[in-house]
Amino acid sequence: IKNIIYALEKKDVRLLTQNMFNDFESVAFSYYPDLIKIRKNFLDGGALYSGLCGSGSAIFSIREKIIQN
């Protein structure tokens, strides 16, 4: 937690993503392997991090820059 707080204070996105985790992911991914593919798509698309929100209601990604269409 200390590293996450420090990263937020310093606005260091890379440090933040290096310290993020969700213990529930291993369980959710074992039951729903398609979630792994979705996460991989985010990462292959340039996301620094991709993971489950809370108990798995959504997958999110964090990017260094905002993408505008």
Side-chain angles (χ1 to χ4, degrees):
I1 298 287
K2 289 180 183 181
N3 287 339
I4 291 175
I5 293 169
Y6 179 79
L8 290 170
E9 290 172 346
K10 295 298 181 187
K11 298 180 181 171
D12 187 334
V13 176
R14 289 193 180 271
L15 180 60
L16 175 66
T17 59
Q18 291 169 0
N19 287 280
M20 295 180 70
F21 63 92
N22 181 338
D23 290 333
F24 184 66
E25 285 182 2
S26 61
V27 175
F29 290 166
S30 69
Y31 280 95
Y32 303 101
D34 285 345
L35 295 175
I36 297 169
K37 295 175 190 174
I38 295 169
R39 183 168 112 167
K40 183 177 180 325
N41 285 340
F42 279 130
L43 296 171
D44 289 348
L48 298 175
Y49 179 84
S50 179
L52 290 180
C53 290
S55 61
S57 61
I59 294 181
F60 70 98
S61 67
I62 296 177
R63 304 181 68 86
E64 197 161 18
K65 297 180 181 182
I66 296 173
I67 298 174
Q68 296 180 350
N69 295 336

